[in-house]
Amino acid sequence: MVTMGQCYYNETIGFFYNNSGKELSSHWRPKDVVVVALGLTVSVLVLLTNLLVIAAIASNRRFHQPIYYLLGNLAAADLFAGVAYLFLMFHTGPRTARLSLEGWFLRQGLLDTSLTASVATLLAIAVERHRSVMAVQLHSRLPRGRVVMLIVGVWVAALGLGLLPAHSWHCLCALDRCSRMAPLLSRSYLAVWALSSLLVFLLMVAVYTRIFFYVRRRVQRMAEHVSCHPRYRETTLSLVKTVVIILGAFVVCWTPGQVVLLLDGLGCKSCNVLAVEKYFLLLAEANSLVNAAVYSCRDAEMRRTFRRLLCCACLRRSPRESAHYTSSAQGGASTRIMLPENGHPLMDSTL
């Protein structure tokens, strides 16, 4: 019998799953095997890809600049997400019932912390790109202290949101508030997490939209001095492509999970969130793989560094290549914008 106001710290995982109506299987079902197989594959790819990004940033002195610290932090957060999801895969299915309450909160906390850090870093990158473009600054002139503070802020927020459920934002003392997707967590926690991610997306849309219109306005202004130059049209199209890729990747990977989290957080009884939760979590985890492609692999110098690391050989650049080198400045989804005025570069910014 459940008593209002009573706390259930000594109950088993099965007690809370039964209370929320979430099935706790005692054997491996076909869908469990499929989810674990896909999850292990995605986790290994996430780990290898982001380790490569971190190694590239550490080994190439061209990347020892503040904006690449943010890209390195994104890779570190996504690497952490890969580890957290790998831990989940080894403690899911029938193994969930054998977890202690502390073990369950550890499993959930690792996921929440890593994914929060990844999402927050995406916003930090957008903010720094906006600052670079608006200040007509090269990425190398970004204050190191500012970037370090951003990184510290990201992890403080991520750790706070990840640790809160285990210490206070749970439903061990209020069973009527337990969510269905995460039976030990309060529905309000899921709603806040989903709304926070939605807020991050809206802020990213606002930032990148402002960057786009600002750069397009500058391009059009410069086009009046150098008529019919094809590079202006190329710059605008490349900028549109960059913004679409960045926001599109976020929407595809995160929106489904945010929707089911919000529905569960709002207590939608008629919504069958349990039928899709595992697949949408896998899709959110896949974002940690997509980030490496969107933010790092589109950088030509980063790709050259990848090849050098993978081939375990130093590629010597000829003097002509070195003179011709124009690094895409802010790693990943980048568009280098050179807007000449009277023969002199007016702005050199990268998205």
Side-chain angles (χ1 to χ4, degrees):
M1 180 177 176
V2 176
T3 304
M4 295 301 293
Q6 180 180 350
C7 294
Y8 299 88
Y9 296 111
N10 296 321
E11 293 292 347
T12 64
I13 294 296
F15 172 82
F16 294 97
Y17 274 64
N18 290 334
N19 173 70
S20 294
K22 185 174 184 178
E23 183 181 3
L24 193 59
S25 62
S26 58
H27 61 280
W28 287 100
R29 299 166 296 182
K31 72 173 184 179
D32 294 328
V33 175
V34 170
V35 169
V36 169
L38 289 173
L40 289 174
T41 302
V42 171
S43 296
V44 170
L45 289 175
V46 166
L47 292 174
L48 294 177
T49 303
N50 287 287
L51 277 173
L52 185 60
V53 172
I54 293 172
I57 293 173
S59 64
N60 192 331
R61 293 185 61 184
R62 294 183 186 274
F63 299 147
H64 294 179
Q65 301 171 26
I67 188 60
Y68 284 102
Y69 299 161
L70 283 177
L71 291 173
N73 189 64
L74 178 62
D78 288 335
L79 181 69
F80 185 20
V83 172
Y85 200 74
L86 198 62
F87 184 83
L88 172 64
M89 291 299 98
F90 284 109
H91 297 84
T92 191
R95 295 171 183 164
T96 300
R98 298 198 291 269
L99 289 172
S100 63
L101 297 188
E102 293 78 9
W104 191 94
F105 278 119
L106 173 63
R107 188 184 75 172
Q108 189 67 35
L110 289 173
L111 277 175
D112 293 345
T113 300
S114 59
L115 294 178
T116 300
S118 180
V119 171
T121 304
L122 293 178
L123 179 59
I125 290 172
V127 169
E128 281 305 304
R129 285 175 169 175
H130 177 271
R131 181 182 180 279
S132 295
V133 171
M134 297 303 165
V136 195
Q137 269 189 330
L138 287 174
H139 63 282
S140 58
R141 294 171 60 188
L142 290 175
R144 292 176 185 269
R146 177 188 175 90
V147 174
V148 170
M149 289 302 295
L150 274 174
I151 292 174
V152 171
V154 162
W155 285 103
V156 167
L159 286 171
L161 206 54
L163 294 174
L164 269 177
H167 293 87
S168 59
W169 215 340
H170 51 66
C171 63
L172 304 187
C173 301
L175 296 184
D176 58 319
R177 299 178 186 173
C178 291
S179 69
R180 286 188 291 164
M181 291 174 58
L184 276 69
L185 299 186
S186 171
R187 288 195 303 272
S188 61
Y189 174 79
L190 269 63
V192 168
W193 207 98
L195 290 173
S196 298
S197 297
L198 178 61
L199 177 61
V200 168
F201 172 69
L202 293 176
L203 289 173
M204 287 175 62
V205 169
V207 168
Y208 282 115
T209 299
R210 189 158 189 263
I211 290 174
F212 170 73
F213 283 111
Y214 174 82
V215 173
R216 190 181 70 169
R217 193 163 55 248
R218 298 302 293 265
V219 167
Q220 291 173 341
R221 190 179 304 165
M222 293 306 99
E224 297 174 0
H225 299 278
V226 185
S227 60
C228 301
H229 199 293
R231 286 190 62 86
Y232 295 122
R233 179 175 176 80
E234 292 173 9
T235 295
T236 303
L237 291 176
S238 184
L239 184 56
V240 170
K241 181 180 177 182
T242 294
V243 173
V244 168
I245 289 175
I246 290 173
L247 299 180
F250 192 93
V251 168
V252 170
C253 293
W254 280 104
T255 301
Q258 289 172 2
V259 170
V260 293
L261 280 175
L262 190 57
L263 289 175
D264 192 18
L266 295 176
C268 179
K269 300 295 184 182
S270 61
C271 305
N272 192 12
V273 295
L274 297 179
V276 294
E277 55 147 348
K278 293 183 183 296
Y279 302 104
F280 288 172
L281 176 59
L282 179 62
L283 188 59
E285 175 61 25
N287 185 245
S288 295
L289 180 61
V290 173
N291 285 340
V294 172
Y295 287 86
S296 295
C297 294
R298 295 186 71 229
D299 186 312
E301 179 66 13
M302 187 74 78
R303 291 197 300 272
R304 283 192 287 269
T305 306
F306 289 162
R307 286 195 294 269
R308 177 171 59 79
L309 290 173
L310 292 173
C311 295
C312 298
C314 294
L315 299 178
R316 295 184 177 180
R317 187 180 290 112
S318 66
R320 181 177 179 181
E321 278 184 296
S322 297
H324 184 67
Y325 172 77
T326 53
S327 158
S328 45
Q330 295 186 355
S334 58
T335 303
R336 193 162 188 81
I337 303 164
M338 298 291 291
L339 304 180
E341 183 174 33
N342 301 326
H344 301 285
L346 176 66
M347 182 176 73
D348 186 357
S349 307
T350 310
L351 296 181

